[in-house]
């Protein structure tokens, strides 16, 4: 929805003193008052203040900046299917079925189909979040331009549209915040095949988010022929995680140098890569190791380091001794 704002042709004013800017504002306000009756002016002022409060509190630039940062973080996260079983049928003496046990009951082929559904749902959710955030940015720009309109008459005439726009943007914000949390996967078919007399528990599948794995750029250091790499996860998981570290030499010059690459499984958040070439540039990437529940991982962190130069080639220079006396 767009707003047409018509301005008045004001004469240019010379700014000859620091007070001139304030004087100009007072002149403009006085001119605005002349366009309206006193009652209409009070209505205009109240509505203008309400719009300014909305843009300051509910849709402030600082708030939108935070949402953009959260959106960038979500684009770097990895997404997994989480199984949430409930208690078995009433009277059953078995305890709560653990997720590891649930995987033994789930049909593998059906679960792979659900992973594809989870991938599609995650991609759609990220696209929708980006679209909602763009609507908030555009809506704020429109309302801000209307707030700066020099003529109060279009502002008052279009207030009904402004109120509708405020309600629409509030709804967009609510949808954006609700969609920030991954939701439940919709199951069209039973994932657990018939297992005779065994009582089948109720299964819920949820999309869960894991924070991205990122290199510690201060603690990751290159030496002459080896590097020390460290990485971290913003929110530490309850259980230890497995990672996959990749490295490769950039701009290899010989067939032998093309072998300067590899994939290393790591069970910690630090690792030393040895047998590298001195004074060369290497690229390193790290991510979580592939898991059975992973459905979407669009991003992995990368780091480029240059090893230190080696000792100079050739024999060391001869040291000249002190000449002896004749």
């Amino acid at each position: 929805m767009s707003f047409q704002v018509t301005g008045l042709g004001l004469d240019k004013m010379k700014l000859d003193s620091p007070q001139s800017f304030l004087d100009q504002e007072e002149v403009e306000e006085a001119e605005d008052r002349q366009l309206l009756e006193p009652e209409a002016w009070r209505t205009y002022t109240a509505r203008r203040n309400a719009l300014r409060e909305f843009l300051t509190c509910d849709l402030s630039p600082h708030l939108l900046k935070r949402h953009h940062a959260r959106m960038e973080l979500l684009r770097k996260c990895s997404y997994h299917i989480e199984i949430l079983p409930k208690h078995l049928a009433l009277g059953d003496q078995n305890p709560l079925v653990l997720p590891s046990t649930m995987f033994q009951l789930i049909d593998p082929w059906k679960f792979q189909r659900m992973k594809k559904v989870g991938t599609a749902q995650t991609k759609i959710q990220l696209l929708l979040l980006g679209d909602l955030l763009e609507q908030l940015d555009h809506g704020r720009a429109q309302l801000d331009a209307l707030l700066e309109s020099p003529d109060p008459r279009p502002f008052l005439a279009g207030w009904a549209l402004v109120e509708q726009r405020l309600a629409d943007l509030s709804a967009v914000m609510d949808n954006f915040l609700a969609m920030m949390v991954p939701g439940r996967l919709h199951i069209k078919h039973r994932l657990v095949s018939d297992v005779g007399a065994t009582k089948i528990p109720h299964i819920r599948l949820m999309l869960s988010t894991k924070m991205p794995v990122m290199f510690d750029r201060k603690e990751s250091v290159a030496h002459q022929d080896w590097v020390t790499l460290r990485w971290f996860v913003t929110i530490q998981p309850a259980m230890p995680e497995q990672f996959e570290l990749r490295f490769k030499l950039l701009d290899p010059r010989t067939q032998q140098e093309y072998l300067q690459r590899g994939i290393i499984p790591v069970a910690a958040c630090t690792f030393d890569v040895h047998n590298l070439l001195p004074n060369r540039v290497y690229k390193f990437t790290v991510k979580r190791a592939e898991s059975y529940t992973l459905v979407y991982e669009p991003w992995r962190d990368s780091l480029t380091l240059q090893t230190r130069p080696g000792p100079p080639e050739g024999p060391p220079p001869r040291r000249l001794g002190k000449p002896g006396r004749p």
Side-chain angles (χ1 to χ4, degrees), residues 166-197:
L166 294 179
D168 292 342
L169 288 174
S170 295
V172 170
M173 179 65 78
D174 291 341
N175 291 336
F176 177 82
L177 295 176
M179 201 175 290
M180 291 290 284
V181 181
R184 181 174 179 176
L185 276 174
H186 302 287
I187 306 175
K188 294 183 179 180
H189 307 284
R190 290 178 58 184
L191 292 179
V192 180
S193 303
D194 293 332
V195 286

Side-chain angles (χ1 to χ4, degrees), residues 54-314:
F54 179 84
L55 294 178
T56 303
C57 301
D58 298 349
L59 206 60
S60 68
H62 176 69
L63 183 62
L64 289 177
K65 184 178 180 180
R66 284 178 51 195
H67 288 329
H68 275 283
R70 293 177 66 185
M71 190 67 218
E72 286 302 312
L73 182 62
L74 285 177
R75 290 192 177 107
K76 296 179 180 180
C77 290
S78 59
Y79 297 85
H80 300 251
I81 287 182
E82 184 178 354
I83 298 180
L84 300 176
K86 292 185 177 181
H87 288 284
L88 301 182
L90 186 63
D92 199 307
Q93 299 301 318
N94 292 328
L96 181 68
V97 179
L98 298 176
S100 58
T101 308
M102 293 301 305
F103 279 118
Q104 300 175 9
L105 300 176
I106 291 177
D107 186 306
W109 183 78
K110 293 180 180 179
F111 187 72
Q112 291 300 320
R113 289 182 59 185
M114 284 308 304
K115 287 179 65 174
K116 293 181 180 179
V117 173
T119 302
Q121 185 169 319
T122 303
K123 291 180 178 179
I124 292 173
Q125 190 166 344
L126 290 175
L127 287 174
L128 288 176
L129 280 170
D131 181 69
L132 292 174
L133 192 55
E134 185 177 341
Q135 290 183 44
L136 293 174
D137 288 333
H138 185 62
R140 192 193 192 286
Q142 284 183 322
L143 294 177
D144 191 57
L146 185 64
L147 189 65
E148 298 302 321
S149 169
D151 189 348
R153 291 172 297 185
F155 184 93
L156 287 176
W159 180 249
L161 294 177
V162 174
E163 286 185 312
Q164 183 60 49
R165 189 61 172 153
L166 294 179
D168 292 342
L169 288 174
S170 295
V172 170
M173 179 65 78
D174 291 341
N175 291 336
F176 177 82
L177 295 176
M179 201 175 290
M180 291 290 284
V181 181
R184 181 174 179 176
L185 276 174
H186 302 287
I187 306 175
K188 294 183 179 180
H189 307 284
R190 290 178 58 184
L191 292 179
V192 180
S193 303
D194 293 332
V195 286
T198 304
K199 294 181 179 180
I200 302 174
H202 178 68
I203 296 175
R204 288 188 303 144
L205 294 186
M206 302 287 292
L207 282 174
S208 64
T209 305
K210 292 187 177 181
M211 292 293 105
V213 182
M214 305 182 71
F215 280 112
D216 187 333
R217 281 160 168 76
K218 291 184 179 180
E219 298 295 330
S220 298
V221 183
H223 306 276
Q224 180 179 316
D225 59 354
W226 62 285
V227 297
T228 296
L229 299 172
R230 297 184 186 277
W231 54 87
F232 63 93
V233 181
T234 307
I235 301 177
Q236 290 296 330
M239 300 293 293
E241 291 189 289
Q242 303 289 322
F243 302 96
E244 178 186 282
L245 176 66
R246 295 178 179 235
F247 74 96
K248 69 175 181 178
L249 172 67
L250 299 182
D251 191 23
R253 302 163 189 167
T254 65
Q255 191 66 32
Q256 189 68 22
E257 289 186 355
Y258 272 100
L259 301 179
Q260 286 275 315
R261 60 177 62 208
I263 302 175
I264 307 170
V266 184
C269 289
T270 181
F271 192 81
D272 296 339
V273 183
H274 292 269
N275 301 320
L276 303 180
L277 299 176
N279 200 24
R280 301 297 293 274
V281 179
Y282 287 83
K283 181 179 179 180
F284 304 90
T285 60
V286 64
K287 71 179 191 72
R288 289 183 178 85
E290 195 80 16
S291 67
Y292 187 63
T293 62
L294 177 67
V295 296
Y296 190 55
E297 189 177 35
W299 180 86
R300 65 180 63 181
D301 197 14
S302 63
L303 177 65
T304 302
L305 292 175
Q306 180 172 352
T307 52
R308 295 179 180 178
E313 298 181 356

Side-chain angles (χ1 to χ4, degrees), residues 17-70:
S17 67
Q19 189 66 23
S20 58
F21 182 73
L22 295 177
D23 294 341
Q24 183 179 358
E25 287 187 341
E26 293 174 356
V27 170
E28 291 175 351
E29 183 176 344
E31 291 177 350
D32 291 343
R33 287 196 180 193
Q34 294 175 1
L35 299 174
L36 299 173
E37 295 296 329
E39 183 64 29
W41 174 257
R42 286 191 290 271
T43 301
Y44 167 73
T45 303
R47 292 176 177 178
R48 183 183 175 88
N49 291 338
L51 178 57
R52 181 181 285 110
E53 183 180 359
F54 179 84
L55 294 178
T56 303
C57 301
D58 298 349
L59 206 60
S60 68
H62 176 69
L63 183 62
L64 289 177
K65 184 178 180 180
R66 284 178 51 195
H67 288 329
H68 275 283
R70 293 177 66 185

